């Protein structure tokens, strides 16, 4: 709703004050459909006599499980009930029984998720001077004061492939913008202020209700009711048990901006800047209940420290309560981060002639690394050459706190990161009408990754000495169990799990573009476009405290190390053709051919992946996780030739009312698949280094693609094998191309005129109208029982009826 603000007997806004109010509400229930691989009933009871090796060269052979107490196989392949760990028995209730035959994808969970949202916007505008600025007319001086209020709320149910796990996320927030616009001759000044506050809360099903780890005797984990829930369990042959981590965030931002616009002759100049004060207040524990990794090494037959093929089973280790790897993080979970950012810019749009316009601009941006109000953050100071340092058996890593000096990198500020102060972002653009029917446009610009510091601060906070963290690897000297997975370590042991280069720099991307537009006919336009993108100083996450066979530094537990050493390059060419609306028909389409390469897909919506080998980052270079070689999109609109101002049934009457005012529209997308990486999960040697899932497969030399891929085998699984123990895999990143997308959407719309100013619109629309399966995820874990199979599909056909009344 909108119009002049007139309150009877209180205020008459006339043609000076206007209000706008809008509300949007959403109440949604959507299907959740997931398949998982879970243990059979016999396996849950400790009977592995019928269990077969699921992957590798011995696939199909019987599994042999060895009693770690005696070194001999269990009689009949069955663990006696007396030896099943009571904590493992208690955790079985969170792993569902199979409800489908077989041993792969033998559990199907079908349920629904809820998503409720509310958005309320209120906006006021008051004009000054002799002119007006309303929604319908403009004139005189453009001076006005405007303000508003925006409130949003959302509640989303969190589902899990296992019914006993899940939770809820709620979001509450509001935004208060204020603005003042004033003109001085040909100069217009625009001043803005904004206050934004958001509260985000996530909980699982058991927080403040049931202390599961405490009741099962699992020690060394958080006993805070905020953290109560199920510990994380990782297997090689089965789906993981991952409960929702608790989170409470209360973020707020103050921002102030002022800029000017000056039109002088052929130039339009703009300059100004803004300042933001950012507060991130976080209560969270990322791994408060502990994570336990079971690989089968404890029930394997070991010879010279290596497992014999066909021996050992991950779920047997679990029933005995013997993990190979454990990790935990909890402690002082209340943090208050503070940061500032500001920027200055200047820009000139110069109309050199009737057929040529140039655009020049320069922007300077400064984003301060976040500090913590109570200095409760910690980093690691590393020797410049860890391999050489480790060879000398020297101290190669030291914990450093805000304001301290490290032995290798010197003094650090309160943020633990040295500021990046040289973030200049130029802009250059050109628009040239080369002929009556040809327009050439080109541009170049730089953009910075402004959100990096927030993620880094969140991870530096949850570190010793302010939090309890550990990553323990089982060994004869350090036996681990479910109940005692976090034994007390020597006081000098460094247990920090995350660190960042103190000279970290914000990543940036350079983008250049050339577009040629050609008018083919009076209604058909074609564009030929090239865009190049180069990323520099991108995030790379490494695990430098490991070698191919184990941990590198004595007295230092495994940790992740983030640097800005990555880079990327992408090229894209496209052809776009558009036929404007004529005779009731419009249609257009775009084909894009592109390729993107990087050694860390931290831009373009790519998930950050830990490098396989921190000392061979060249091996990380490959296709970007978001690379999509071919993409074609099109849309169409057809106004059916019936009704007023159309070819037939122009006279008013029943036939006109029934068949007039109809529109048929739709769009379709045909896209290449995204790339995937062949990896190894639960490798004994990889876990023995303190990591799991970062090891890549070995190539066999066989082709990866199949001429006729299917859901059961999307690529040639014989192209990959697990690397030999103690070696890194030689398969590159993202060498497997996933399933393509073929998606058609369609809509029918009826427009009913109800007078001069009222319109009723009825719309029926469908996404994926032909109900084509959209395969989205394939299993690329070489030692998984579902290796090579499509495991996830996107939404099937969804239909919606909509009614809109405009007045």
């Amino acid at each position: 709703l909108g119009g002049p603000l007139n309150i009877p007997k209180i205020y008459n806004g006339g043609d000076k004050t206007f209000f706008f109010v809008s509300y949007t509400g959403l109440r949604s229930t959507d299907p959740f459909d997931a398949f998982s691989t879970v243990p059979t009933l016999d396996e849950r009871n400790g009977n592995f006599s019928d269990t077969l090796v699921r992957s590798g060269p011995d696939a199909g052979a019987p599994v042999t499980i060895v009693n770690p107490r005696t070194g001999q196989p269990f009689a009949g392949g069955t663990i006696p009930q007396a030896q099943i760990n009571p904590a493992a028995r208690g955790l079985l209730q969170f792993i569902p029984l199979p409800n489908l035959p077989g041993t792969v994808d033998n559990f199907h969970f079908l349920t629904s998720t809820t998503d409720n949202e509310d958005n309320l916007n209120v906006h006021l505008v008051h004009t000054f001077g002799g002119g007006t600025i309303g929604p319908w007319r403009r004139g005189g001086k453009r001076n006005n004061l405007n303000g508003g209020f925006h409130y949003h709320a959302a509640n989303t149910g969190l589902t899990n492939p296992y019914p006993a796990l899940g939770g809820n996320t709620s979001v509450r927030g509001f935004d208060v913008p204020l603005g003042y616009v004033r003109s001085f001759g040909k100069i217009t000044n625009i001043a803005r202020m904004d206050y934004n506050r958001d509260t985000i809360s996530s909980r699982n099903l058991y927080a403040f209700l049931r202390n599961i780890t405490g009741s099962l005797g699992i020690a060394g984990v958080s006993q805070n009711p905020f953290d109560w829930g199920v510990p994380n369990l990782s297997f090689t042959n089965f789906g993981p048990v991952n409960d929702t981590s608790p989170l409470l965030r209360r973020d707020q931002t103050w921002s102030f901006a002022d800029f000017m616009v000056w039109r002088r002759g052929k130039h339009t100049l703009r300059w100004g800047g803004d300042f933001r004060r950012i507060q991130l207040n976080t209560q969270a524990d990322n791994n408060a209940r502990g994570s336990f990794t079971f690989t089968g090494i404890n029930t394997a037959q070991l010879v010279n420290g290596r497992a014999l093929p066909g021996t050992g089973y991950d779920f047997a280790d679990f029933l005995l309560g013997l993990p190979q790897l454990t990790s935990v993080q909890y402690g002082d979970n209340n943090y208050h981060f503070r940061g500032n950012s500001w920027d200055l810019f200047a820009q000139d749009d110069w109309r050199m002639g009737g057929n040529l316009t140039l655009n020049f601009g320069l922007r300077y941006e400064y984003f301060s690394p976040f500090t913590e109000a109570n200095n409760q953050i910690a980093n690691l100071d590393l020797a410049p050459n860890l391999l050489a340092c480790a060879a000398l058996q020297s101290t190669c890593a030291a914990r450093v706190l805000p304001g301290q000096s490290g032995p290798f990198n010197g003094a650090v500020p309160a943020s633990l990161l040295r500021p990046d102060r040289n973030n200049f972002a130029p802009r250059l653009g050109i628009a040239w009408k080369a002929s009556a029917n040809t327009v050439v446009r080109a541009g170049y610009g730089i953009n910075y990754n402004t959100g990096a510091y927030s993620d880094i601060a969140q991870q530096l906070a949850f570190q010793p000495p302010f939090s309890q963290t550990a990553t323990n690897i089982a060994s004869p000297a350090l036996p681990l169990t479910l109940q005692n997975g976090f034994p007390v370590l020597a006081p000098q042991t460094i247990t920090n799990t995350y660190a960042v280069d103190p000279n970290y720099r914000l990543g940036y991307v350079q983008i250049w573009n050339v577009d040629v537009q050609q008018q083919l006919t009076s209604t058909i336009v074609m564009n030929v476009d090239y865009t190049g993108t180069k990323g520099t100083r991108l995030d790379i996450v490494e695990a430098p405290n490991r070698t191919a066979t184990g941990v590198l530094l004595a007295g230092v537990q495994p940790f992740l190390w983030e640097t800005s050493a990555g880079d990327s390059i992408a090229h894209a060419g496209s052809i776009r053709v558009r036929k404007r609306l004529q005779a009731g028909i419009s249609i257009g389409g775009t084909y894009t051919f592109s390729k993107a390469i990087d050694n860390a897909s931290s831009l373009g919506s790519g998930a950050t992946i830990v490098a396989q080998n921190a000392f061979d980052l060249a091996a990380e270079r490959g296709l970007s996780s978001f690379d999509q070689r071919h993409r074609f999109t099109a849309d169409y609109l057809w106004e059916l030739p019936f009704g007023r101002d159309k070819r037939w049934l122009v006279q008013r009457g029943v036939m006109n009312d029934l068949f007039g005012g109809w529109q048929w529209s739709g769009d379709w997308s045909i896209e290449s698949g995204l790339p995937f990486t062949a990896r190894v999960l639960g490798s004994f040697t990889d876990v023995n280094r303190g990591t799991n899932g970062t090891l890549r497969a070995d190539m066999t030399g066989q082709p990866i693609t199949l001429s006729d891929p299917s859901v059961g085998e999307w690529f040639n699984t014989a192209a990959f094998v697990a690397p030999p123990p103690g070696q890194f895999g030689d398969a590159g990143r993202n060498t497997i191309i996933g399933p393509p997308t073929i998606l058609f959407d369609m809509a029918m719309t009826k427009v009913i005129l109800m007078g001069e100013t009222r319109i009723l619109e009825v719309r029926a629309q469908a996404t994926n109208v032909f109900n084509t399966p959209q395969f989205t995820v394939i299993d690329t874990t070489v030692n998984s029982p579902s290796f090579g199979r499509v495991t996830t599909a996107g939404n099937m056909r969804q239909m919606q009826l909509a009614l809109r009344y405009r007045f």
Side-chain angles (χ1 to χ4, degrees):
L1 299 174
L5 181 61
N6 295 318
I7 304 175
K9 299 182 180 180
I10 297 178
Y11 182 79
N12 183 2
D15 60 357
K16 297 291 186 181
T17 308
F18 298 88
F19 78 96
F20 307 88
V21 179
S22 68
Y23 167 77
T24 301
L26 171 70
R27 300 295 180 267
S28 172
T29 303
D30 297 314
F32 176 84
D33 193 355
F35 288 84
S36 304
T37 299
V38 298
T40 65
L41 182 59
D42 282 344
E43 291 170 339
R44 293 168 65 94
N45 290 322
N47 183 354
F48 298 91
S49 59
D50 294 328
T51 299
L52 304 178
V53 178
R54 298 194 177 188
S55 62
D58 296 299
V63 166
T64 298
I65 56 170
V66 173
N67 188 338
R69 297 179 181 178
T70 65
Q72 300 298 316
F74 281 105
T78 301
I79 300 174
Q81 292 296 306
Q83 284 189 238
I84 294 180
N85 185 284
R89 194 187 301 276
L91 290 172
L92 280 175
Q93 62 185 300
F94 304 103
I95 303 175
L97 286 162
N99 56 14
L100 294 175
T103 58
V104 178
D105 289 342
N106 55 355
F107 178 72
H108 183 206
F109 182 41
L110 180 62
T111 185
S112 60
T113 63
T114 59
D115 183 12
N116 299 330
E117 298 181 21
D118 296 282
N119 280 278
L120 174 66
N121 277 284
V122 179
H123 187 61
L124 296 173
V125 179
H126 180 77
T127 64
F128 300 92
T132 63
I133 300 183
W136 304 284
R137 63 177 184 238
R138 292 178 179 268
K141 292 184 178 295
R142 295 177 298 166
N143 303 332
N144 73 81
L145 179 67
N146 58 84
F149 177 80
H150 172 219
Y151 171 79
H152 64 98
N155 283 282
T156 304
L158 303 177
T159 53
N160 191 286
Y162 292 173
L165 306 176
N168 177 267
T169 292
S170 65
V171 178
R172 300 288 185 275
F174 64 89
D175 179 61
V176 182
L178 296 174
Y180 179 64
V181 181
R182 182 173 178 82
S183 296
F184 305 91
K186 294 183 178 181
I187 297 179
T188 300
N189 183 79
I190 302 169
R192 294 173 180 168
M193 183 185 76
D194 188 271
Y195 174 71
N196 176 278
R197 182 178 177 88
D198 280 302
T199 301
I200 305 172
S201 175
S202 291
R203 288 187 184 177
N204 61 23
L205 302 176
Y206 306 104
F208 299 98
L209 297 174
R210 184 180 174 189
N211 185 3
I212 294 168
T213 55
S215 64
L216 296 177
I218 298 175
V221 298
S222 173
Q223 299 302 315
N224 186 340
F226 178 78
D227 298 321
W228 286 355
V230 183
N232 296 324
L233 309 175
S234 296
F235 303 98
T236 303
N237 295 296
F238 306 101
V241 176
N242 288 329
D243 200 3
T244 301
S245 296
L247 172 67
L248 177 60
R249 283 189 58 168
R250 294 146 295 171
D251 302 341
Q252 63 181 24
T253 301
W254 287 93
S255 63
F256 306 88
D258 190 273
F259 64 95
M260 292 188 174
V261 180
W262 182 23
R263 293 175 176 84
R264 179 178 174 84
K266 296 182 178 182
H267 296 266
T268 300
L269 299 169
R270 295 176 174 86
W271 67 92
D274 67 358
F275 170 82
R276 289 184 294 277
R277 175 63 174 171
I278 305 169
Q279 297 185 10
L280 308 177
N281 304 293
T282 300
Q283 182 181 1
D285 280 317
N286 297 327
N287 191 13
R289 300 177 294 273
S291 295
F292 301 83
T293 300
F294 301 92
T295 62
I297 194 172
N298 289 290
T299 53
Q301 185 73 56
L302 302 179
V303 176
N304 296 325
R306 295 187 176 181
L308 292 179
T311 66
Y313 202 65
D314 55 350
F315 202 72
D317 283 14
F318 166 71
L319 292 179
L320 294 172
L322 300 175
Q324 185 183 354
L325 179 73
T326 65
S327 63
V328 72
Q329 174 276 309
Y330 69 94
D332 191 336
N333 60 5
N334 242 314
Y335 294 94
H336 308 278
F337 306 107
R338 302 293 183 264
N340 300 321
S341 74
W342 57 269
D343 61 73
L344 299 171
F345 77 94
Q347 178 177 311
D348 180 17
D349 294 328
W350 180 15
R351 293 184 60 88
M352 297 183 64
N355 65 340
L356 181 63
T357 299
L358 295 180
N359 174 275
F360 304 92
L362 180 64
R363 183 182 183 90
Y364 174 76
E365 301 176 329
Y366 173 72
F367 298 86
S368 69
F370 282 89
T371 58
E372 205 280 324
N374 300 306
N375 288 326
Q376 294 186 119
I377 52 178
N379 199 9
L380 293 181
D381 190 29
L382 303 185
N385 189 329
L386 279 184
L387 287 177
C389 183
L392 296 174
Q393 298 183 346
S394 302
T395 299
C396 305
R399 184 182 298 133
V400 60
L401 302 180
Q404 293 184 350
S405 291
F408 307 107
N409 285 283
V412 293
S415 63
L416 300 177
L417 299 179
R418 298 185 176 98
D420 185 1
R421 301 185 185 276
N422 61 346
N423 298 329
F424 290 93
R427 296 286 192 275
L428 175 64
I430 181 174
W432 174 42
K433 190 171 184 179
S435 67
N437 296 318
T438 304
V439 178
V440 179
R441 299 177 178 90
Y444 170 83
I446 292 179
N447 296 292
Y448 286 88
N449 181 17
T450 59
Y453 285 144
S454 170
D455 296 335
I456 289 173
Q458 301 281 343
Q459 298 186 79
L460 288 175
F462 299 95
Q463 301 297 322
F466 313 109
S467 288
Q468 178 71 33
T469 66
T471 302
N472 299 312
I473 304 168
S475 67
L478 189 70
L480 302 177
T481 66
L482 272 170
Q483 287 87 344
N484 188 31
F486 309 101
V488 177
L489 304 174
Q492 67 272 19
T493 303
I494 294 178
T495 62
N496 293 56
T497 57
Y498 172 85
V500 62
D501 183 357
N503 296 313
Y504 175 91
R505 293 293 179 261
L506 291 175
Y508 64 91
V509 59
Q510 302 175 71
I511 302 174
W512 56 94
N513 169 268
V514 177
D515 181 277
V516 179
Q517 178 178 301
Q518 181 68 41
Q519 184 93 21
L520 300 179
T521 70
S522 60
T523 60
I524 299 178
V525 178
M526 180 178 71
N527 289 69
V528 179
D529 180 278
Y530 162 75
T531 300
T533 306
K534 185 181 188 305
T536 304
R537 300 195 312 220
L538 306 183
D539 290 27
I540 287 186
V541 179
E542 311 167 16
N545 190 24
R546 66 176 186 176
T547 65
T549 55
V551 176
L552 178 65
L553 306 177
V556 181
Q557 290 196 332
F559 62 88
L560 298 181
W561 171 253
E562 187 165 353
T563 72
S564 50
D567 62 84
S568 68
I569 188 70
H571 301 281
S574 67
I575 297 177
R576 182 170 66 254
V577 179
R578 165 69 55 187
K579 181 186 182 303
R580 301 190 186 99
L581 186 66
Q582 183 185 42
I585 298 176
S586 70
I587 188 170
T590 302
Y591 168 73
T592 302
F593 176 80
S594 63
K595 185 175 182 178
I597 298 175
D598 59 41
N599 53 10
S601 297
S602 54
L603 290 179
S605 302
T608 300
I609 301 297
V610 178
Q612 176 182 238
N613 183 359
F615 305 103
D616 185 16
L617 294 181
E620 297 301 306
R621 195 160 188 83
L623 292 178
S624 301
S625 299
F626 49 87
D627 177 76
Q628 210 164 30
R629 194 61 42 84
H630 304 278
R631 188 169 188 265
F632 175 73
T633 60
D635 61 87
Y636 62 91
L637 171 66
W638 180 25
E639 295 179 343
L640 273 62
F642 307 110
R644 191 172 69 174
D645 300 325
K646 297 299 187 294
R647 185 171 180 181
W648 294 300
L649 302 179
V650 296
Q651 300 297 324
R652 300 198 63 174
V654 176
M655 299 300 290
N656 180 298
D657 294 339
L658 290 176
F659 296 103
W662 283 99
Q663 296 178 349
W664 177 33
S665 61
D667 57 76
W668 61 91
S669 300
I670 303 174
E671 304 170 352
S672 297
L674 296 170
F676 294 81
T677 301
R679 299 188 180 276
V680 180
L681 185 66
S683 164
F684 296 164
T685 53
D686 191 33
V687 174
N688 209 41
R689 298 188 285 256
T691 55
N692 187 22
T694 65
L695 181 66
R696 294 200 291 270
D698 265 354
M699 301 284 293
T700 64
Q702 294 196 28
I704 299 174
T705 59
L706 295 174
S707 58
D708 187 22
S710 64
V711 174
E713 187 177 19
W714 187 259
F715 58 91
N716 182 14
T717 56
F720 303 97
V721 295
Q727 296 184 18
F728 291 116
D730 61 14
R733 288 176 53 244
N734 295 328
T735 56
I736 302 169
I737 303 303
T741 297
I742 304 176
L743 191 63
F744 294 85
D745 302 334
M746 193 177 296
M748 291 294 295
T749 305
K750 167 74 170 176
V751 177
I752 304 172
L753 300 179
M754 305 179 68
E756 294 297 326
T757 62
R758 292 173 296 161
I759 296 176
L760 180 66
E761 181 180 299
V762 183
R763 182 179 177 88
Q765 60 188 32
T767 58
N768 193 6
V769 65
F770 298 119
N771 218 29
T772 307
Q774 307 297 317
F775 304 127
T776 56
V777 178
I778 52 178
D779 189 344
T780 59
T781 303
V782 296
N783 55 334
S784 167
S786 57
F787 179 50
R789 297 179 59 170
V790 174
T791 58
T792 304
N795 290 332
M796 301 302 287
R797 178 172 52 231
Q798 294 184 346
M799 302 184 69
Q800 183 182 57
L801 298 177
L803 186 69
R804 175 177 296 171
Y805 179 54
R806 298 199 296 264
F807 61 95

